[in-house]
Amino acid sequence: MALGPRLDLRQSQSLVMTPQLQQAIKLLALSNLEIESFVAEALESNPLLEVGELRHEKGDDQPESAPGEHESTPDFDGETALDIADYARDPDSSPADRGDWAQAGGLASGGEELPDLENRSRSNLSLAEHLASQIGALAHDAREGLIAGRIIHELDEAGYLHTSLRELSDDLGAPLAEVERALMLVQSLDPTGVGARSLSECLALQAREADRYDPCMARLIDHLDLLGSGDIARLRRLCDVDEEDFADMLAELRSYDPKPGSRFGGEAETAIVPDVIVKPADGGGWHIRINEASLPRLVVNRDYYVELEAGARDKASRAWLNEQLGEADWLIRALDQRQKTILKTATEIVTRQEGFFREGVSAMRPLTLREVAEKIEMHESTVSRVTSNKYLSCPRGTFEMKYFFSSGVAAADGEGASSEAIKARIRALCDAEDVKKVLSDQKLADLLNEEGFDLARRTVAKYREAIGIGSSAQRRRAKKLRAL
């Protein structure tokens, strides 16, 4: 075989995306906040762009953002004894990292009720600011106030201290005894329980404040692991009290806050601005529109363009001006196409999931990105980008558009059932069960099969665990505790 240089002509096809096309694709995946930032930069860099008037002024027609049924936000107001016991099972984890204290005990909220935000945000101050404002009047001297201030800034969002006092002593170059006194100062501040290094210490501080920290209560708080495991009889014997006193102690414990710092959130909660608004239409059907108040409407200032064009005397100036005009026109078209694509996708979602909008999560159907993409004649990746970080507001609440896509199982009607609908039904069955007749996973599967859902026991267990419902044994213990 001879070796040597030669020239060949070959024909091939390839897809080359222009920078503008790449930017248009990126615009689809941006959230409202990111789009606002992008538009602000465009307005600053392009003198021909300006904000036009909205077609719909924001007013009563603009719905308030609210968590949807699928969201589960922990309620920090009045934790149950079992919630406290749940953390006791895993004392090494941070209380601030545990979103749902009652999950293992089967008391997790289904997200049907909105969180009590009033009690969580009693002040606009952060926890650190609230505590620091109290130090000046209580510290014995400036040195103690300085050390206490450092301790305050080491607390997590729930008010717990995870840094060792020895480490703080070394960092500050202060004797350990002084750091301990400063910690006692922090633990005397409002809210009671901040500065604790464990759940037991947090509860003990609150019990002392309520003048309820007697030897019996001390033994109860020291043995929270028994409460978590459901060994109530042994725990009552350790406390050396009768059933009535033990019930009173549990009620007292139930009134304490295991996350005392959480009511003073450090960061303001960001309201969700929906991209799409869905409302019932007169005579049936749905009225679906883009929330234009969520995005500035851009226009080209033609008068300013004419003025600049008249003053452009050289070729470079005219080329720059035409480039700015072309970029402005492209951005306006790209944003308009983005809105149309979002609306088209949302319309198909509402059509496919109309049962949800009329009846709730129990009527949801399985839906995939591919099904919507084929219907609106777009690529599956485009639908994925469109539904990312986009929210839909309807009478049932505000939902991320991704929420309406879920896998499903076979059903008696042949259409299948959404996994969200199955989870809702499992939750309803568990909520309605009697403490003497707690349903096993197999019994749940049998009941669901009778209702037309083709589910195996393992699948039921998977869905049950996914929504934070404990096993039958855990639920039985939880119901017994609540009955005390």
Side-chain angles (χ1 to χ4, degrees), residues 153-443:
H153 286 284
E154 292 291 328
L155 303 181
D156 65 15
E157 293 179 356
Y160 284 76
L161 177 65
H162 300 291
T163 307
S164 70
L165 296 186
R166 174 61 65 184
E167 183 179 344
L168 288 174
S169 174
D170 293 341
D171 289 347
L172 294 170
L176 182 60
E178 289 189 9
V179 178
E180 291 173 343
R181 285 197 298 270
L183 177 61
M184 291 177 63
L185 170 61
V186 172
Q187 291 180 344
S188 70
L189 303 178
D190 173 76
T192 305
V194 295
R197 289 156 291 181
S198 66
L199 177 65
S200 296
E201 187 176 20
C202 178
L203 299 177
L205 288 170
Q206 296 178 62
R208 288 190 178 97
E209 177 69 18
D211 196 22
R212 288 296 305 270
Y213 194 69
D214 54 28
C216 297
M217 180 63 79
R219 285 192 288 270
L220 174 60
I221 292 176
D222 289 341
H223 295 86
L224 292 177
D225 55 328
L226 296 179
L227 185 61
S229 63
D231 196 347
I232 304 301
R234 182 183 174 192
L235 183 58
R236 186 166 65 82
R237 287 196 300 271
L238 285 172
C239 293
D240 193 22
V241 293
D242 57 27
E243 291 187 2
E244 183 178 354
D245 287 341
F246 187 70
D248 289 341
M249 291 170 62
L250 285 182
E252 179 71 22
L253 196 68
R254 191 176 293 124
S255 68
Y256 298 156
D257 188 352
K259 302 179 184 180
S262 296
R263 70 188 74 168
F264 299 92
E267 297 181 0
E269 298 184 14
T270 303
I272 295 176
V273 179
D275 299 81
V276 180
I277 298 173
V278 179
K279 289 188 174 182
D282 295 336
W286 300 93
H287 178 62
I288 308 169
R289 68 174 179 85
I290 291 290
N291 181 14
E292 294 182 349
S294 66
L295 184 67
R297 180 171 175 263
L298 298 183
V299 296
V300 174
N301 190 332
R302 299 290 176 181
D303 294 337
Y304 190 45
Y305 170 75
V306 172
E307 182 181 340
L308 291 177
E309 187 180 35
R313 301 182 182 277
D314 56 88
K315 184 177 181 180
S317 297
R318 289 193 295 272
W320 175 83
L321 184 60
N322 288 331
E323 180 182 351
Q324 296 300 306
L325 179 62
E327 289 182 358
D329 285 334
W330 170 84
L331 179 57
I332 292 172
R333 291 196 304 271
L335 291 175
D336 183 63
Q337 184 60 43
R338 174 182 180 272
Q339 301 292 71
K340 289 179 179 178
T341 305
I342 293 174
L343 183 61
K344 186 183 296 185
T345 303
T347 301
E348 183 61 22
I349 288 175
V350 173
T351 300
R352 295 295 187 100
Q353 298 289 14
E354 186 173 8
F356 166 81
F357 293 96
R358 295 195 182 280
E359 303 174 29
V361 68
S362 60
M364 281 190 71
R365 295 297 182 186
L367 184 63
T368 64
L369 295 172
R370 181 184 297 275
E371 290 174 328
V372 173
E374 291 176 350
K375 187 65 177 181
I376 64 176
E377 298 181 344
M378 289 185 175
H379 196 273
E380 187 175 343
S381 62
T382 301
V383 177
S384 178
R385 292 187 180 94
V386 167
T387 53
S388 296
N389 302 314
K390 311 296 187 305
Y391 290 85
L392 181 151
S393 175
C394 66
R396 294 189 175 276
T398 299
F399 302 82
E400 188 176 7
M401 290 174 68
K402 287 278 190 188
Y403 171 68
F404 298 98
F405 296 90
S406 64
S407 58
V409 298
D413 56 12
E415 296 186 15
S418 160
S419 59
E420 294 297 330
I422 296 169
K423 291 175 183 177
R425 187 58 188 143
I426 291 174
R427 186 182 301 283
L429 289 172
C430 292
D431 289 344
E433 64 190 358
D434 186 82
V435 65
K436 297 180 180 179
K437 296 181 180 179
V438 176
L439 303 173
S440 64
D441 289 339
Q442 185 58 57
K443 184 60 177 178

